[in-house]
Amino acid sequence: MAELNQKSILDMIKEFRRNWHTLCNSERTTVCGADSMLLALQLSMAENNKQHSGEFTVSLSDVLLTWKYFLHEKLNLSVENMEVIDHYEDIRRIYDDFLKNSNMLDLIDVYKKCVLISSCENNANISPSQLQDFLSGRECVVAGETDLYVPTSPMSKHNQDNEKVQLLARKIIYSYLSLLVNSKNDLALAHVLNIPDRGLGREAFTDLKHAAQEKKMSIFLVATSFIRTLELGGKGYAPSPSDPLRAHIKGLSNFINFVDKLDEILGEIPNPSTAGSRILSVIKMQLIKGQNSRDPFCKAVEEVTRDLDLRIKNIINSQQGDVAVSTTDISPARPKSYAINHGTAYCGRDTVKTLLVLLDEEAASMPTKNKAELLYDDENTIHHNGTSILTLFRSPTQVNNSSVKPLRERIRKSMQEKKIKWRVKSW
């Protein structure tokens, strides 16, 4: 059932890509998968709490409660008798703005846009309730129930650690590719800004985030414009001496120059297979540089890049086969106006299209089972893990003790208040 729904979701995304010029404004719009949707919702809830209580934080119980309601509400499924958190409309607005500013559409957005095309409903063959089941991970829970009470043996613990490292390497490499395709993706940037270590921790990210909010730009564009301004030189171009980003010049320069190198490959190598291989190779070398080759993370990076390189070649072969079939006895047509300089330069466009297919497949992946680990896991045994997205987006000057109490505690307090009111009325 899970595999069937996953295939249907991928078919839905493919249909969206075939009709992207009528459904969205940018060819480089990336699709936000289930895990990224949940992370974006968590950040939106934390931002909402900051606006109402002063602290950028949110409990796991609140996120899961809102996630359930959010999926039903956004898919127009019944929300009768479902609990809804305070300020839900504000949270939805913050979430929608975050995705819009990041040039992303989530899987529900893609589904709704595809419904506008009658053929998509037939091709995707997925209902709102099936999409809700997929996004909530219901199939994952059912499939994994038999393993819930099995004691963890040393061997299985070792396998779990290897799987974590593999998933981490995959997430980092995909984030670099996503940032290369869609530079507005702040979520992807957060995953890789300081991996490998560039000295760009929470303080640097906070300074970038504040500058981005002030200038109404993406975080990557803020970092790029800052470094470009420095490189131009001259008093007329230099950033203000009081600019907080000056404290992070070395790390930001390292990061921007690295992404520039990936962009150069994209623009200079016309063959998408060669360009894809080269991009993956450069990312791999950056991640394993100075590391022990026997390090589990290095091994995982090697395996993931090899797997993605093969996948890129398979995508290109598949696309060439489709073109050969669809263009038999048809003379080449002039490129349509919307296909030129529409969110991307024409040079490297074939490589971008190939990377988008790769990213779309990742967006159709099954959601992570362990939501707590996805959302809050700061102290992972793997030292390459970096900082959780929530912690990264939270300003380091904020206190750790949250004023937002857990859901259960707030419910208990609410019940006690109701009892007190009832007693007062009875007197």
Side-chain angles (χ1 to χ4, degrees), residues 24 62 83 91 114 185 233 268 271 277 285 299 317 361:
C24 67
D62 280 358
E83 291 184 80
I91 293 168
C114 280
N185 190 340
E268 293 176 1
N271 185 301
S277 292
M285 295 310 297
K299 289 182 178 179
N317 290 335
E361 290 179 352

Side-chain angles (χ1 to χ4, degrees), residues 165-182:
V165 182
Q166 194 85 8
L167 290 172
L168 174 63
R170 191 177 177 89
K171 178 177 72 176
I172 292 168
I173 294 170
Y174 267 110
S175 293
Y176 269 117
L177 296 178
S178 183
L179 191 63
L180 184 61
V181 170
N182 174 16

